[in-house]
């Protein structure tokens, strides 16, 4: 299996943020028994390291799961799962 985490400073909606991207994959040999793919993305504000958005997607064999959460509106948290 392999996994990777990357961290970048980027501009999101006109403000400086930290973007964290994650990936995980099983290798082709393991895929014969159990195939897994994962992608995630989190965005945090530079000031205070507050969460702005989170996206997660995982495929295990043929089953896909995911979630999305937004903290952009300070009055409420919005999310969705599938």
């Amino acid at each position: 299996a392999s996994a990777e985490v990357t961290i970048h400073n980027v501009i999101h909606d006109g403000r400086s943020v930290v973007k964290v991207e994650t990936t995980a994959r099983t290798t082709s040999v393991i895929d014969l028994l159990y195939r897994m793919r994962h992608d995630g993305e989190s965005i945090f504000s530079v000031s205070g390291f507050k969460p702005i958005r989170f996206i997660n997607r995982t495929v295990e064999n043929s089953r896909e799961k995911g979630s999305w959460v937004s903290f952009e509106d300070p009055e409420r948290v919005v999310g969705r799962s599938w």
Side-chain angles (χ1 to χ4, degrees):
S2 66
E4 184 176 329
V5 176
T6 58
I7 302 171
H8 306 280
N9 287 318
V10 298
I11 302 298
H12 173 76
D13 291 339
R15 59 186 166 184
S16 183
V17 299
V18 175
K19 182 176 183 179
V20 179
E21 296 175 303
T22 60
T23 60
R25 309 268 185 271
T26 51
T27 60
S28 59
V29 173
I30 300 297
D31 283 349
L32 297 171
L33 301 171
Y34 178 79
R35 184 175 191 264
M36 192 277 300
R37 303 290 185 266
H38 168 81
D39 295 295
E41 177 185 282
S42 298
I43 297 177
F44 300 90
S45 67
V46 170
S47 61
F49 207 61
K50 295 178 184 173
I52 296 171
R53 183 178 70 205
F54 169 78
I55 301 169
N56 180 53
R57 179 179 173 268
T58 302
V59 178
E60 295 179 50
N61 294 320
S62 61
R63 195 174 101 194
E64 181 178 348
K65 298 184 291 185
S67 58
W68 168 85
V69 180
S70 174
F71 303 92
E72 299 212 35
D73 181 348
E75 300 298 316
R76 66 187 185 131
V77 175
V78 179
R80 190 184 104 188
S81 293
W82 63 90

